[in-house]
Amino acid sequence: MTDSKFNSLSYFYTDESLNFIFETFESAVVIENTNRLIAYTNLQFCKLFDIKLSPKELVSTSILDNVKGFSMQFERSDEFVKSQLEIPEKKTPVRGEKWTLRNGKIVVRDYTPILNNSLVVGHIWLYREHKQIKALTNNVSYHIIENALNTLPEEIAIFSANAEILFANKAYINNTEKRLWARNKTLEQYFSYANKSSEIAKLRTHNILKSAATLKAISWQETKLTLNNRSQHYLRICYPVLNSNGTLESVIEQSIEITASIELERKLKQATDYMFATLNNLNDFVLQTDEELKLQFINKAWENMTGQHFEEYAGKSIFEILSVTRYELYQKMFAVLAGDSLQKNGSLLLKGKDGKEKVLQYNLQPSFNVNRNKQGIIATLSDVTSKQMQETQLLELVKREKELNELKTSFVNMVSHELRTPLTVISSSAEILDLMLQAGKSHSDIAIYTKQIIDEVEKMTAFMQDLLMVSKIEAGKVETNLKETDIVDFVTNLINNGFNPWKDGRNAVVNVRRTPVKAAIDSKLLTHALQNLLQNAFKYSSGKSDVKVRISFSKSYYNISVIDNGIGIPETEIHKLFTSFFRATNTSNISGTGIGLIVTKYFTEQHKGYVSVKSKMNKGSIFTIKLPYNK
Ligand code: ADP
């Protein structure tokens, strides 16, 4: 009987058309006879439970006993075996029972008894893998979610671990027929069916599988051309969905249109490029740092001026370029970083690659990063070297102009004084002469007055000659005729002819140090030079001791110093000596022209020597001319 029942079901397997139907089923099918032996099963069953035997080989075996370890694949294997035994006895269909396998898969099992005149003649078991994510298993919520997902503008699709489409929303596949077709197909199958680029399908599949393998989200960008040839950009992300055991259930792929942000990014880049191009075209120097004062940007002007290139310094501290030893700049930078002031100015000196020192005026301002939360510094520096030079030159000119004016005033004062005194003497002497002549005085009586007139005229002539000399000197019209001369003889003669003794009876005492050497001199010029020094020494030390003249010979120079114990020169005025018509403020009751030292200086320089002075108020002065031997 049992056998005949079994035999009565054997047509299942032999009937090709039924076989065809079951093979195209997505579900795994097992048909048992009343003895619970397999009358039919399909490939999907072997696949689902990873059974190495073919469906044919399973016929006549028992699921419970013979299919090796079949029930053991279930997590609650005892319960499963029990249900396999009990369900057929109730003779009623059971639908949608979920069973978890030990490998993590969830299978849904349906049971249907095969009835023949209310007699059970067999059992149909259907198994299918429960691939949908949990929320989608309930039919009601599945539709709600499906509808919701279909109304979203973003493309959303759910894939199995092996990248088969479990679900795709309308945005992903618009055409309903195609959408249904695509279920359980791979993207590559769908793309070829829908005549779309296989490259894209490959890329997406690759990323879905990668996400499934690594359990990590993966994102990439895709660009589509619209009908009017405009690019649309999409960010695609796929991420794994895990079940409560932490094992992979599915992979969701989603796309978000980012054309607007890409466009914004492009515009931002354009604006940034434009800004950098502008900064690079500036003549001013621009340096930008981050919040740690690390260099983010150096413009071309800076690179050209210093020869320092951004690539070398990118990310390095700004103090590798602008040394920390610039303490003021250093302080200001930290003040700006601390947000204490919105801008700081200052100036610094810097050597350019041409080796020339430049004066740079800087301005420091805070610069923010994109998120405006961290602040760096933007330093702009301008080269003000030539401007400052012009300013100095201008100041110099103004100063010179002022000096010239002062000079003019002192010259006019001096000339009028120097001429008025002798003229007064001459005029009064002439009047006396006139009176004496009327009175019939003798020649010897009037001689004293004629001498006075002659003396004053001589003084005026000497003064005029001095003035003439200065103008000659200033015009560079004085010629030098050098002749080898015994210096000690020369100085001694000069002193003896006019100075020893001086009007007040004092002398100039000569002292020679080291062995005298002959030197080539223009005796006329050097006489003038020394005469002026000697006259001054006596003139400004009236009532004091003798004047000393020291001649010393060294290897390549000899010095002639004229030393007095006179009124000295105020310290603050010493630097003004040797300028035309200058007279110190302590000379008001001693007459003079302010010409003598100029002549001395010029004539000394004509001998390639120079004059120096040491002086102390009310103590005395030493004027020294240092001369080469000129051999
Ligand atoms: P001056 O005719 O006024 O003496 P100089 O050119 O010879 O003109 O000297 C310029 C100024 O230098 C003097 O007016 C005086 O103030 C100062 N000076 C020069 N020599 C001496 C000196 N030996 N002692 C003090 N002051 C001196």
Side-chain angles (χ1 to χ4, degrees):
M1 186 64 192
T2 323
D3 273 347
S4 73
K5 268 182 193 167
F6 170 71
N7 288 340
S8 69
L9 283 172
S10 65
Y11 71 87
F12 277 119
Y13 198 78
T14 51
D15 188 299
E16 282 302 316
S17 59
L18 276 179
N19 196 31
F20 168 75
I21 291 168
F22 287 134
E23 284 302 338
T24 56
F25 255 47
E26 278 176 25
S27 302
V29 184
V30 174
I31 300 174
E32 291 173 325
N33 62 19
T34 44
N35 291 339
R36 305 298 306 273
L37 296 176
I38 296 174
Y40 173 81
T41 184
N42 62 359
L43 254 176
Q44 281 82 329
F45 176 75
C46 298
K47 245 195 198 161
L48 182 60
F49 294 101
D50 202 20
I51 295 164
K52 299 286 178 266
L53 301 172
S54 71
K56 249 184 190 170
E57 287 171 304
L58 290 176
V59 172
S60 298
T61 65
S62 154
I63 281 193
L64 295 174
D65 307 334
N66 301 334
V67 179
K68 266 190 233 152
F70 173 64
S71 58
M72 290 311 292
Q73 293 193 30
F74 290 79
E75 268 191 348
R76 291 169 286 134
S77 53
D78 290 348
E79 231 176 278
F80 176 76
V81 172
K82 203 171 150 218
S83 73
Q84 281 285 94
L85 293 172
E86 284 172 2
I87 287 172
E89 281 168 15
K90 292 184 185 144
K91 300 179 189 174
T92 47
V94 178
R95 296 279 180 261
E97 266 190 320
K98 267 180 260 158
W99 292 92
T100 309
L101 302 190
R102 291 190 198 276
N103 65 8
K105 274 186 197 171
I106 296 170
V107 292
V108 181
R109 182 184 68 182
D110 292 333
Y111 167 78
T112 310
I114 306 172
L115 297 170
N116 189 356
N117 293 328
S118 69
L119 212 77
V120 178
V121 294
H123 313 280
I124 302 179
W125 301 91
L126 295 180
Y127 300 89
R128 62 182 186 280
E129 194 179 343
H130 171 70
K131 286 177 180 173
Q132 277 86 348
I133 52 174
K134 275 185 189 131
L136 299 184
T137 53
N138 176 316
N139 266 347
V140 181
S141 55
Y142 176 86
H143 284 296
I144 293 173
I145 291 169
E146 187 181 26
N147 281 339
L149 292 179
N150 278 339
T151 56
L152 288 181
E154 287 92 24
E155 292 183 16
I156 296 172
I158 304 168
F159 295 86
S160 67
N162 51 2
E164 285 168 358
I165 304 167
L166 302 178
F167 170 82
N169 75 347
K170 264 193 177 161
Y172 206 111
I173 303 173
N174 187 34
N175 180 294
T176 312
E177 204 179 306
K178 286 183 183 164
R179 202 163 59 247
L180 290 176
W181 186 91
R183 283 259 171 103
N184 296 324
K185 304 282 190 322
T186 64
L187 270 178
E188 277 162 324
Q189 286 169 325
Y190 164 68
F191 268 56
S192 99
Y193 164 75
N195 240 343
K196 290 166 172 250
S197 150
S198 67
E199 290 303 311
I200 293 179
K202 262 187 203 150
L203 173 69
R204 289 186 194 173
T205 308
H206 172 83
N207 287 334
I208 292 161
L209 290 173
K210 198 165 156 194
S211 173
T214 58
L215 299 185
K216 287 201 173 108
I218 290 172
S219 66
W220 69 100
Q221 273 188 32
E222 282 180 15
T223 303
K224 258 196 234 168
L225 272 184
T226 60
L227 288 177
N228 49 10
N229 238 2
R230 298 190 53 174
S231 294
Q232 269 178 336
H233 304 278
Y234 295 87
L235 174 71
R236 300 194 79 91
I237 313 165
C238 58
Y239 43 91
V241 177
L242 307 180
N243 63 22
S244 52
N245 322 326
T247 48
L248 182 82
E249 202 165 68
S250 60
V251 175
I252 295 185
E253 191 212 354
Q254 193 182 349
S255 102
I256 303 159
E257 200 195 329
I258 50 165
T259 313
S261 60
I262 291 241
E263 185 60 17
L264 211 69
E265 211 174 285
R266 194 183 59 79
K267 280 190 179 149
L268 196 72
K269 192 179 172 300
Q270 230 172 28
T272 324
D273 287 351
Y274 178 73
M275 185 188 82
F276 283 133
T278 312
L279 289 180
N280 275 331
N281 279 328
L282 283 183
N283 287 331
D284 281 354
F285 314 113
V286 183
L287 307 169
Q288 196 186 351
T289 76
D290 65 5
E291 68 281 4
E292 288 171 9
L293 291 182
K294 287 182 178 152
L295 282 163
Q296 302 287 297
F297 174 76
I298 298 177
N299 75 341
K300 281 275 170 299
W302 180 272
E303 293 191 339
N304 295 341
M305 191 260 296
T306 59
Q308 297 167 326
H309 291 281
F310 180 60
E311 300 80 61
E312 265 173 77
Y313 289 92
K316 290 188 181 166
S317 161
I318 191 168
F319 296 119
E320 297 215 6
I321 278 185
L322 295 168
S323 150
V324 203
T325 53
R326 300 175 202 283
Y327 186 63
E328 194 189 297
L329 173 75
Y330 180 80
Q331 252 189 339
K332 286 182 181 168
M333 279 192 180
F334 281 99
V336 172
L337 271 193
D340 116 336
S341 163
L342 283 182
Q343 58 179 42
K344 294 256 171 192
N345 299 309
S347 65
L348 55 88
L349 292 176
L350 194 114
K351 243 188 201 147
K353 68 175 175 193
D354 57 4
K356 287 187 190 152
E357 189 132 272
K358 301 197 180 341
V359 187
L360 302 183
Q361 230 163 42
Y362 60 79
N363 169 276
L364 306 176
Q365 291 200 44
S367 71
F368 291 92
N369 70 4
V370 186
N371 305 323
R372 283 199 72 81
N373 53 5
K374 287 209 173 137
Q375 167 182 320
I377 281 183
I378 185 150
T380 23
L381 303 98
S382 15
D383 186 347
V384 292
T385 321
S386 60
K387 200 173 125 197
Q388 212 171 59
M389 222 143 77
Q390 277 169 7
E391 266 170 28
T392 332
Q393 277 169 354
L394 206 70
L395 279 176
E396 196 63 38
L397 267 175
V398 172
K399 201 177 140 209
R400 195 142 166 70
E401 178 75 21
K402 205 176 145 224
E403 277 173 3
L404 272 174
N405 268 331
E406 283 170 7
L407 211 65
K408 206 173 85 190
T409 317
S410 55
F411 176 73
V412 172
N413 285 341
M414 182 269 295
V415 169
S416 58
H417 180 263
E418 287 303 302
L419 295 183
R420 204 171 43 223
T421 320
L423 282 175
T424 318
V425 176
I426 291 168
S427 131
S428 57
S429 298
E431 276 172 22
I432 295 169
L433 265 181
D434 192 33
L435 289 174
M436 288 182 104
L437 283 175
Q438 280 176 24
K441 294 280 179 184
S442 70
H443 182 262
S444 59
D445 286 335
I446 60 172
I448 177 175
Y449 296 103
T450 47
K451 188 177 180 301
Q452 248 176 11
I453 293 174
I454 291 164
D455 281 356
E456 290 307 319
V457 169
E458 268 177 6
K459 267 192 201 163
M460 281 169 65
T461 313
F463 172 61
M464 294 312 289
Q465 270 171 350
D466 275 357
L467 273 186
L468 221 71
M469 184 67 80
V470 171
S471 77
K472 257 187 172 173
I473 288 172
E474 283 184 345
K477 283 184 182 159
V478 182
E479 281 180 14
T480 321
N481 291 311
L482 299 183
K483 223 168 133 190
E484 196 161 84
T485 311
D486 183 315
I487 299 301
V488 179
D489 279 355
F490 167 74
V491 176
T492 321
N493 285 338
L494 189 150
I495 289 172
N496 291 335
N497 290 327
F499 291 95
N500 273 356
W502 182 245
K503 297 167 201 167
D504 58 8
R506 285 184 298 154
N507 284 310
V509 184
V510 179
N511 169 292
V512 180
R513 288 187 179 177
R514 300 210 190 95
T515 323
V517 182
K518 283 188 174 178
I521 57 164
D522 183 316
S523 55
K524 230 166 115 188
L525 299 189
L526 208 55
T527 301
H528 260 295
L530 279 174
Q531 270 175 345
N532 289 338
L533 294 186
L534 284 161
Q535 274 164 6
N536 283 347
F538 282 111
K539 194 164 71 173
Y540 296 112
S541 68
S542 147
K544 302 281 173 176
S545 55
D546 283 341
V547 166
K548 290 186 193 89
V549 176
R550 190 167 61 213
I551 312 169
S552 67
F553 296 91
S554 67
K555 209 170 166 205
S556 44
Y557 279 92
Y558 61 100
N559 296 312
I560 306 173
S561 302
V562 181
I563 306 157
D564 67 66
N565 297 312
I567 61 168
I569 301 150
E571 207 184 318
T572 50
E573 297 175 19
I574 288 187
H575 72 278
K576 292 187 190 167
L577 291 180
F578 307 106
T579 54
S580 305
F581 315 120
F582 172 75
R583 304 207 64 223
T585 45
N586 59 341
T587 61
S588 51
N589 47 19
I590 306 168
S591 80
T593 58
I595 291 175
L597 286 184
I598 285 281
V599 174
T600 302
K601 179 175 183 266
Y602 183 76
F603 288 168
T604 310
E605 284 170 358
Q606 288 292 96
H607 284 81
K608 299 199 168 54
Y610 58 88
V611 194
S612 62
V613 56
K614 274 188 190 164
S615 184
K616 210 155 192 168
M617 277 282 275
N618 302 319
K619 285 262 167 4
S621 311
I622 306 175
F623 281 84
T624 303
I625 53 179
K626 191 179 180 97
L627 296 158
Y629 294 107
N630 284 325
K631 286 194 170 163

